[in-house]
Amino acid sequence: MRSMQGVCRVVVALMMAGTFAVPTPMTAQASPVPSRNAIVEGKRALAAKQFFQAKTTFAGFLLEHPDSIEGQIGLADAELGLHEYEAAELQYRRVVAVQPEMWSAHKNLVVVEAALDRWDEFDRERALLRGARQRGAPGITARESDVIDGFMVRGQRWIVREYFEPVGRSLTRYNFEHFSPDGKAEEYISLESAEAAQRALTTGDVRIGTDPGAVVIKDFALNWYTGKAHGTVARYASGEPSYERVRADVLRWLRRSIATKPADK
């Protein structure tokens, strides 16, 4: 009897410390409160870009709930935020193995594969997303854009956005964006219709986001823009180039154009 009282005191102490949930005598089911609190805390840390804290929270949650898709996605997102790309890839792969139509995981795999320079896998993930959009799969739409890449060049952070359907008066396909410390786009480089971009420049309007309707682009140009100037990086008269080629052309041009700035980080 004394031994049983001791065990009860330990269990009560652990419950008060919040270290784990114990089945209740009435339901014999684990209390959902600690689990939900961990998920909420992890998501809050992700939103605040506190990726290490988010990783710790989700990893701890998964020790007791290893099959939780929500926890697995949270951990993968935290690892992606920490630039732990190989770990994030493994985690996202676990998710899509169970839920093949978890589009958020596939979208982040695109970012991961670009960071790892795994272009075959990068293209496969994008083809999967494209196919889902074309067939109208639930949970994904053609009326959206995806961040597919990001990199540093001589201290400048660039984010790459892909438009499934070319948008704006210049029919943008990819947009490479550099932001100021306060979050404003200072300059961008766009893969777009050469003809449409030239026509838009005559009106002084190359805004991105206007719906052009269904279009077929015959020739592409890689153009750069700032608030004060614009120019052309490369032209592709034979049709749309691969993203890998466009990325290489952008990096080559950026490294030349900002050679006087601090070295790459």
Side-chain angles (χ1 to χ4, degrees), residues 122-142:
F122 173 87
D123 288 334
R124 276 195 289 271
E125 287 297 329
R126 290 176 63 217
L128 188 152
L129 291 166
R130 175 177 291 273
R133 287 183 167 116
Q134 289 173 335
R135 70 174 183 271
I140 191 169
T141 173

Side-chain angles (χ1 to χ4, degrees), residues 7 17 49 62 65 68 70 73 87 96 100 111 125 132 140 145 151 169 186 226 231 238-239 260:
V7 170
K49 300 188 184 301
L62 286 169
H65 308 274
S68 168
E70 200 171 13
I73 284 286
V96 298
V111 177
E125 287 297 329
I140 191 169
S145 62
F151 48 78
R169 296 189 64 179
E186 289 189 328
T226 67
S238 58
T260 58

